[in-house]
Amino acid sequence: MSIQLSPLNDQQLNALASLAGGLNREQLLWINGYFQGLLAATATSQPAIVAAAPKSTKQLKILYGTHTGRSKTLAGKLASTLAGKGIEVATIALDEYKTRQLNAETNLVFIVSTHGEGEPPAMAEDFHSFITGKRAPQLSNLNYSVVALGDKSYKLFCKTGIDIDQSLARLGAKSILPILTLDVDFDEEADRWINEFTNVFADQPSVSSSAGIVQNTISVSSVYTRKNPFKATVIDKVRITGRTSDKEVYHVELSLEGSGITYEPGDSVGILANNPPQLVDAIIAHAGFDRTELVTIKEGTFQLKEALSEHLEITVLNREVIQKYQEKSGNEKLREIVANDQELDKYLYGHDVLDLIEDFSASLSAQDLADVLRGFPARLYSISSSQDAVGEEVHITVATVRYSNKGRNRGGACSTYLADRIEVDSQVSVFIEKNPAFKLPENEETPVILIGAGTGVAPFRSFLQHREANNQKGKTWLFFGERRFNSDFLYQLEWQKLLKDGYLEKIDVAFSRDQEEKIYVQNRLIERQKEVFEWLDNGANIYLCGDMKQMARDVQESLLRIFENQGGMTPEKALEYLKTLKKEKRFQLDVY
Ligand code: NAP
């Protein structure tokens, strides 16, 4: 047996041992990545035996603000690519970043998402108001780039990233690459940008940052992704609203057998659906296209029918689609609508691609139409099962979206796909979307208050299954709202069993349409305010899931009233308390 001697001298060995001795696991992982980066950078140009000095002392911090975890994942990807070039890189969550370090920074990348009506994710709120506010310092030594994540269905697409980019430019910082705005389905575009950014940054003359690098390395790996989804077999599909209900809610169970996929309570599952065939056919017929004609889109070349069924969004419109259609068609009537924000908003609501081509005639080719349309993004549903209870399965709870406009019946692309176009034994393409911002407390004894309206109750089934499967008896209190007791009490028997077995301490329900006046979850919270505040005082976490536009706002208003009434707080203090709860991750939201 031969013993390989260390190529380091005693002094180097001692220095290494004393450094390594004081490091935690995250720091060790980072150092590992750092040395791999150095090795990769020296592999082709240096004899393998020579321990090369670092080629560059370049440092860069990636600051991310995320709600669903996608900005964090992207930050991790960029960090590994940069480390591969020998660049010293750190990734830091925006709520952990001290803004007073800003004027000592030289190289920053921001990766930040936008939600709903232009709001930053909770963890980026403070940074966003600092950088856009009066107290932000001049930053003429700073080089930066912004990657903004968003959803083009919303008017204020990527607003948070755009605000940060504009503020940094105003403060004198220099952009390394112009802002990148990413729509929902962004993997390839993001990969291209990461490569471009890495090359541009690596080639820039080196300037060291005087602010200390705080490390927080992220490792991300999953075989099945949006681009490479797993084909899950449907094990069960049951309508869980009664026959008399005016709502159609399905509980769907999918098999993950053999996939190795894992998820945690609070995560979501992405579903790649197909479009309603009647709508696809009607579009082709109205435009007079040949369904077999070939069109080329981002994913490749397909017959028109397949492109419209599987790859392009046709059930909803967005501003960009209407603008592009107007430009291609030159339609004057549509030009007036595009120029008027209110008219455009009105048209966007309840109209689809068939409306667009019916209402604004144009002589477009099939390829022109394909060029105008947006890619078909996956739809995300909060998982309603816990893997500790169901093993290689994932469950979701889906309300079918159906409505009628201009005498034509319409539906949500994915919810009607699940309701009408799949059955038991069908295969559905899925992937898991992690949601680090919606997680049960680490301490299983921490009491939790769960507030869910409609299918917003989904993740709470997962939370409670998890506590039951692991025999965790931390106190739990569920507030559930739906339309009618008789037909819409989703998972009623399961809640009753959990109550009986001691995994659910309390349940309060609000059935909005069982009486003349509306009763919502927030009314129940107010009725129980003394106890709600006591639970909070005793360290409870609050979780809120459901509709973002009305419900989330109204419930938060009610919480503020409770803090004022029960905690003797002024309205300002109550707001501060709510913000602190969010910051400390004691108040978490899953709303869309
Ligand atoms: P829904 O029928 O729209 O609403 C459920 C209940 O909430 C009804 O009783 C409704 O009352 C009531 N409600 C209406 N306005 C309210 C307000 N301002 N405050 C409190 N309660 C209010 O529910 P859904 O169709 O099941 O949709 C649930 C929502 O959750 C959707 O917005 C969905 O995007 C979101 N979400 C779903 C999931 C999931 O995985 N499925 C996950 C996260 C979020 P009335 O209708 O009688 O007024």
Side-chain angles (χ1 to χ4, degrees), residues 447-451 464 474-480 489 495-496 498-500 502-509 528 530-532 534-535:
V448 292
I449 298 175
L450 313 171
I451 307 164
L464 291 167
K475 291 199 322 179
T476 53
W477 187 353
L478 176 65
F479 286 85
F480 170 64
F489 198 166
W495 310 133
Q496 281 168 351
L498 287 160
L499 274 169
K500 185 165 83 50
Y503 295 100
L504 184 58
E505 172 128 344
K506 288 164 177 295
I507 182 168
D508 277 87
V509 289
R528 307 290 230 120
K530 186 164 179 292
E531 228 177 318
V532 167
E534 276 166 14
W535 274 52

Side-chain angles (χ1 to χ4, degrees), residues 247 382 397 455 482 512-513 518 520 522 546 551 554 592:
K247 278 186 79 174
S382 308
T397 314
T455 57
E482 251 299 354
S512 54
R513 302 191 188 183
K518 294 275 185 185
Y520 291 148
Q522 58 269 30
M551 198 265 318
D554 293 349
Y592 47 82

Side-chain angles (χ1 to χ4, degrees), residues 392-422:
E392 287 185 298
E393 291 179 15
V394 63
H395 302 177
I396 50 174
T397 314
V398 184
T400 315
V401 177
R402 296 191 202 275
Y403 61 100
S404 176
N405 190 16
K406 295 183 181 165
R408 178 158 62 83
N409 290 334
R410 297 130 191 268
C414 193
S415 65
T416 62
Y417 164 72
L418 294 169
D420 304 340
R421 302 191 285 286
I422 60 139

Side-chain angles (χ1 to χ4, degrees), residues 1 16 52-53 90 127 131 195 247 253 257 330 363 477 509-510 513:
M1 190 173 82
L16 189 62
F127 183 85
I131 203 74
N195 286 335
K247 278 186 79 174
E253 302 189 355
E257 200 179 329
S363 52
W477 187 353
V509 289
R513 302 191 188 183

Side-chain angles (χ1 to χ4, degrees), residues 164-360:
I164 293 177
D165 182 57
Q166 289 176 346
S167 302
L168 293 171
R170 175 174 52 81
L171 298 166
K174 287 173 273 310
S175 69
I176 301 167
L177 283 184
I179 183 171
L180 173 73
T181 54
L182 294 171
D183 196 7
V184 185
D185 195 2
F186 60 61
D187 291 354
E188 282 162 20
E189 212 180 326
D191 287 349
R192 268 198 306 276
W193 185 90
I194 287 176
N195 286 335
E196 187 187 354
F197 179 85
T198 305
N199 290 334
V200 169
F201 184 71
D203 287 346
Q204 278 190 347
S206 163
V207 193
S208 287
S209 163
S210 54
I213 287 265
V214 185
Q215 191 47 45
N216 172 19
T217 302
I218 300 158
S219 63
V220 187
S221 67
S222 168
V223 189
Y224 295 106
T225 58
R226 260 168 218 263
K227 286 276 163 284
N228 176 35
F230 177 68
K231 292 234 178 301
T233 302
V234 179
I235 309 168
D236 207 358
K237 183 180 118 180
V238 192
R239 179 173 162 159
I240 53 171
T241 40
R243 260 179 297 131
T244 56
S245 176
D246 40 21
K247 278 186 79 174
E248 218 183 292
V249 177
Y250 287 92
H251 170 78
V252 182
E253 302 189 355
L254 302 167
S255 169
L256 299 177
E257 200 179 329
S259 68
I261 288 178
T262 57
Y263 62 83
E264 289 173 45
D267 290 343
S268 298
V269 63
I271 309 251
L272 292 146
N274 57 40
N275 280 310
Q278 309 83 325
L279 184 61
V280 173
D281 290 343
I283 291 170
I284 293 174
H286 181 84
F289 294 143
D290 171 357
R291 68 188 51 217
T292 62
E293 186 176 337
L294 295 181
V295 291
T296 300
I297 52 176
K298 207 171 69 187
E299 290 79 5
T301 299
F302 301 92
Q303 291 194 351
L304 177 64
K305 174 146 185 164
E306 187 182 350
L308 289 175
S309 302
E310 316 265 336
H311 302 294
L312 296 169
E313 179 134 271
I314 57 171
T315 53
V316 286
L317 295 168
N318 67 35
R319 293 170 168 266
E320 194 181 28
V321 167
I322 295 191
Q323 258 153 11
K324 281 190 186 166
Y325 183 84
Q326 197 287 319
E327 280 158 24
K328 284 242 187 226
S329 67
N331 188 298
E332 281 307 316
K333 199 165 111 202
L334 190 55
R335 189 193 305 278
E336 283 169 27
I337 293 182
V338 169
N340 180 329
D341 230 26
Q342 272 181 336
E343 287 298 310
L344 187 53
D345 273 344
K346 214 158 82 188
Y347 195 76
L348 281 170
Y349 185 76
H351 288 96
D352 58 23
V353 170
L354 181 56
D355 293 309
L356 189 67
I357 62 173
E358 279 176 352
D359 295 346
F360 308 103

Side-chain angles (χ1 to χ4, degrees), residues 247 249 380-383 396-399 453-459 481-484 490 510-513 518-522 545-555 590-592:
K247 278 186 79 174
V249 177
L380 295 179
Y381 293 95
S382 308
I383 292 172
I396 50 174
T397 314
V398 184
T455 57
V457 81
E482 251 299 354
R483 292 183 186 174
R484 296 184 182 86
L490 311 180
F511 292 102
S512 54
R513 302 191 188 183
K518 294 275 185 185
I519 297 180
Y520 291 148
V521 278
Q522 58 269 30
C545 183
D547 159 64
M548 173 174 63
K549 288 207 176 90
Q550 298 292 332
M551 198 265 318
R553 196 196 53 206
D554 293 349
V555 168
D590 175 16
V591 292
Y592 47 82

